Amino acid sequence: MELIERYLQAVGRYLPLKNRADILAELRSNLTDALESRYTGEATDDEVTALLKEFGSPEKVAASYYPEGQYLVGPALFPAFRSAV
């Protein structure tokens, strides 16, 4: 489950703070349910990795929760943008 937590941490970096906890809880539940429905017992690291690849990159997963909230210059790059301008 460490892989799932690291994945969720990566997704969380791209989510707004306001709803981050709720979104990560929902995503954790979805991932856990998908693992339980596919595999009996404890899933191996390879099986977890395959599932995470199916879900997509952390950036894309986070963007799917806020399709209308995408920016030309996102929050992660805004400080560098402001320095350059």
Side-chain angles (χ1 to χ4, degrees), residues 1-55:
M1 291 298 180
E2 180 186 342
L3 290 173
I4 291 178
E5 291 305 316
R6 287 179 21 200
Y7 181 79
L8 291 172
Q9 188 177 34
V11 171
R13 286 191 301 234
Y14 299 101
L15 294 172
L17 186 60
K18 181 180 174 185
N19 296 329
R20 184 178 300 163
D22 292 337
I23 293 169
L24 291 178
E26 178 183 338
L27 187 56
R28 181 180 290 111
S29 176
N30 290 344
L31 289 166
T32 304
D33 291 346
L35 280 176
E36 289 175 356
S37 69
R38 290 183 184 192
Y39 310 109
T40 57
E42 189 72 26
T44 65
D45 285 347
D46 291 336
E47 293 168 339
V48 173
T49 301
L51 178 69
L52 295 177
K53 285 182 181 180
E54 287 179 27
F55 266 69

